[in-house]
Amino acid sequence: MKYLVKTFGCQMNEHDSEILAGMMEQIGYEQVERPEDADAIIINTCCVRESAENRIIGYIGNLKKLKEQNPGLIITVSGCMLQQPGAAEKLIKRAPFVDLVLGTHNIHRLPQLISERQGGNESLIEVAETEGDIQEELPVKRQGNIKAQVTIMYGCNNFCSYCIVPFVRGRERSRKPEAIEKEIKCLGAEGFKEVLLLGQNVNSYGLDFTEAFDFADLLERVDRNPDIERIRYMTSHPRDFTQKLVDTISKSQKVCEHFHLPIQAGSNRILKQMNRGYSREMYFELVESIREKVPKASITTDIIVGFPGETDDDFADTLDVIKRVRFDAAYTFLYSRRSGTPAAKMSEQVPAEEKKRRLQILMDLENSISREINEKLVGTREEVLVEGTSKTKDIMFSGRTRTNKIVIFPGNESMIGKLVNVNIMSAKTWHLEGQIIK
Ligand code: 5AD
Ligand code: SF4
């Protein structure tokens, strides 16, 4: 029997998909690339923006034909999209050929439900409203053998006013440090070189413990693992990025000099409306302290344009922040109205055309800054973890610097998974090019 997992959305979802794949292999299924070859297809969904939901609906619609050709095919739709009120029922009505629906808190039930579905005729829906216990020891089929994702906490308590995540991923729950350390120890023994610690807001790790043990403490512990070369983490909330954390990172050996700090907007008025809990001044202070303690730091961000009520002046404040901070890169999004969130009810929604206009201005500005920053790296030497062949140029290899910049260079297969030193020869907006130092 063959299976395929199709993933939409963020890194948390990608990692959930590794667990879904792990469970499928445990019950004897083999992975395939093409939906036509599969006996079971699992679509792991995202709902953070409407565009993702539209793509998912399109993808599911296309599976109808396959199901007609192969009635034994089991189609499962899982994850965030289904966790919204009424979404599972709506999906089954619209796409009755879907066999199983699983909410974010139910994915561990996949093997059981597949076997129940095989014995029955009805579509099965399992969407728990509450989180339940953290499931340890689930099988994981990792996507590569160099970098691994490790969940350190689930859920989000922030309720930023635009964001659906707290509604679909539940409240914050931290995994015990021992469980995390054990997983990372195994990864090191298996030859993984880099771990990415995952959570919606890693900076609130441990706040749900009775004993005092926070994210900085966790990083300090993970940093001691001799087999792992690089540690990254995702995502940070600027409000909770403590001085202790900056200090810990500056002293650590393996935690990379890359800070992803989503600012979301540059205007204090909009930040307040977003319920972000910091002002632009507080953000500037944090950036300053990072740059002082970690001089090589790269800083990237997420920005939303067209939040309800965003005026030209508010948008000008966002552009001003971009110019002042000079981000290495920014992931920019059009505000998307998510039903059930406080911002969806705000009256002054910005027209689509205006949002697009602002996004283009923002991207043009950021791209020119990214390129200027990259150009300053020409002539320097960077440590690169080689990940594989480059997607764009066949004979070239690709890897990342500790600051998370992609570097492309001529190399050979034996370098994959190794740290090499590269002379940076030229810079583009999204990557660097260089030559390995022999
Ligand atoms: N509309 C647009 N972008 C959003 N994000 C989260 N919710 C929305 C929304 N409703 C963006 C934020 C977040 C990133 C993962 O997605 O910038 O940091
Ligand atoms: Fe959403 Fe805000 Fe939580 Fe990030 S921190 S997942 S933007 S609610």
Side-chain angles (χ1 to χ4, degrees):
M1 300 285 262
K2 309 276 195 306
Y3 79 95
L4 173 145
V5 182
K6 171 78 184 168
T7 312
F8 293 85
C10 66
Q11 244 125 0
M12 294 289 278
N13 254 25
E14 270 178 33
H15 186 51
D16 281 349
S17 290
E18 292 184 330
I19 293 172
L20 290 162
M23 291 188 293
M24 292 305 284
E25 306 234 331
Q26 204 173 43
I27 57 171
Y29 280 76
E30 251 175 69
Q31 194 168 35
V32 287
E33 301 279 326
R34 301 181 334 151
E36 302 85 288
D37 301 329
D39 303 290
I41 299 176
I42 300 135
I43 303 123
N44 195 12
T45 65
C46 168
C47 60
V48 79
R49 282 173 291 276
E50 195 183 357
S51 51
E53 287 201 311
N54 291 341
R55 278 189 297 128
I56 295 163
I57 300 289
Y59 186 88
I60 297 172
N62 285 336
L63 297 179
K64 188 175 177 199
K65 263 206 209 105
L66 279 186
K67 180 81 178 184
E68 281 163 4
Q69 286 158 10
N70 173 14
L73 171 68
I74 295 189
I75 300 175
T76 302
V77 188
S78 70
C80 295
M81 198 173 102
L82 291 319
Q83 200 69 38
Q84 302 170 94
E89 293 74 16
K90 203 164 124 196
L91 175 70
I92 294 288
K93 225 178 192 173
R94 192 172 176 160
F97 54 89
V98 167
D99 298 279
L100 299 176
V101 172
L102 290 176
T104 54
H105 311 308
N106 306 80
I107 60 166
H108 61 284
R109 294 263 301 144
L110 178 69
Q112 178 66 31
L113 286 164
I114 287 203
S115 107
E116 282 178 30
R117 178 67 186 95
Q118 278 163 338
N121 296 319
E122 292 283 296
S123 302
L124 302 174
I125 299 181
E126 219 177 81
V127 180
E129 273 178 30
T130 47
E131 296 85 0
D133 294 334
I134 291 179
Q135 301 288 323
E136 291 291 350
E137 312 288 336
L138 290 175
V140 187
K141 181 179 163 58
R142 304 214 176 250
Q143 264 173 12
N145 51 14
I146 301 166
K147 307 196 287 186
Q149 303 177 334
V150 175
T151 303
I152 63 163
M153 61 181 301
Y154 300 86
C156 182
N157 288 356
N158 287 310
F159 291 96
C160 300
S161 62
Y162 50 81
C163 187
I164 191 101
V165 167
F167 302 93
V168 296
R169 288 267 179 190
R171 295 294 67 73
E172 288 173 359
R173 291 144 283 148
S174 305
R175 271 180 85 194
K176 293 275 176 283
E178 297 73 30
I180 297 168
E181 273 184 300
K182 187 174 156 201
E183 184 175 344
I184 295 177
K185 203 169 161 206
C186 289
L187 290 167
E190 285 169 38
F192 283 89
K193 294 289 179 293
E194 179 174 311
V195 292
L196 173 63
L197 308 178
L198 285 179
Q200 303 297 344
N201 175 11
V202 291
N203 309 125
S204 35
Y205 175 80
L207 296 183
D208 51 335
F209 294 157
T210 43
E211 72 277 26
F213 190 87
D214 63 13
F215 183 54
D217 299 324
L218 181 72
L219 280 184
E220 207 185 310
R221 278 225 212 155
V222 177
D223 198 56
R224 289 185 217 141
N225 184 314
D227 298 322
I228 300 293
E229 303 279 0
R230 290 178 170 189
I231 302 163
R232 301 186 190 276
Y233 50 91
M234 182 125 237
T235 284
S236 288
H237 194 305
R239 183 198 56 211
D240 305 322
F241 212 105
T242 59
Q243 196 53 52
K244 174 182 171 187
L245 184 53
V246 178
D247 289 339
T248 303
I249 294 172
S250 76
K251 285 189 208 121
S252 80
Q253 299 291 310
K254 299 180 178 171
V255 181
C256 291
E257 294 80 9
H258 170 221
F259 296 76
H260 183 63
L261 292 171
I263 186 166
Q264 311 296 3
S267 137
N268 281 340
R269 201 178 66 81
I270 296 292
L271 285 170
K272 195 151 194 217
Q273 296 276 313
M274 286 179 161
N275 190 30
R276 290 291 289 175
Y278 54 83
S279 62
R280 52 193 269 135
E281 290 75 20
M282 284 156 79
Y283 191 93
F284 293 148
E285 253 175 54
L286 175 60
V287 166
E288 207 173 299
S289 121
I290 289 171
R291 291 203 165 131
E292 188 200 321
K293 292 270 164 68
V294 188
K296 273 198 80 178
S298 70
I299 301 182
T300 57
T301 199
D302 290 349
I303 296 176
I304 298 175
V305 294
F307 182 82
E310 184 189 75
T311 62
D312 280 336
D313 280 352
D314 293 320
F315 179 60
D317 278 348
T318 296
L319 296 177
D320 179 58
V321 164
I322 299 263
K323 286 184 202 146
R324 285 197 201 200
V325 176
R326 293 184 64 79
F327 293 105
D328 290 79
Y331 301 89
T332 52
F333 307 101
L334 293 171
Y335 167 73
S336 173
R337 197 173 186 174
R338 305 286 62 210
S339 126
T341 61
K345 295 182 211 90
M346 294 179 184
S347 51
E348 298 166 77
Q349 299 287 328
V350 178
E353 280 312 306
E354 180 57 19
K355 281 197 263 193
K356 283 190 200 146
R357 190 187 71 85
R358 290 180 190 171
L359 185 73
Q360 194 56 52
I361 296 172
L362 184 66
M363 282 170 31
D364 289 346
L365 174 62
E366 179 51 46
N367 288 349
S368 69
I369 293 174
S370 296
R371 181 144 189 163
E372 283 166 19
I373 294 177
N374 283 347
E375 271 162 5
K376 287 223 174 89
L377 293 172
V378 173
T380 64
R381 170 187 175 153
E382 290 284 338
E383 182 202 87
V384 173
L385 175 59
V386 187
E387 294 176 9
T389 47
S390 156
K391 279 188 199 134
T392 45
K393 296 184 188 165
D394 276 359
I395 41 143
M396 300 287 267
F397 284 72
S398 152
R400 280 179 194 260
T401 63
R402 288 176 61 101
T403 52
N404 209 34
K405 291 178 189 288
I406 296 172
V407 184
I408 295 177
F409 49 89
N412 61 56
E413 294 280 334
S414 71
M415 292 168 181
I416 295 176
K418 306 235 164 74
L419 290 170
V420 296
N421 286 313
V422 177
N423 261 337
I424 304 302
M425 320 283 278
S426 68
K428 303 277 183 300
T429 307
W430 297 104
H431 74 268
L432 303 164
E433 294 183 0
Q435 296 283 344
I436 291 207
I437 301 166
K438 290 277 172 356

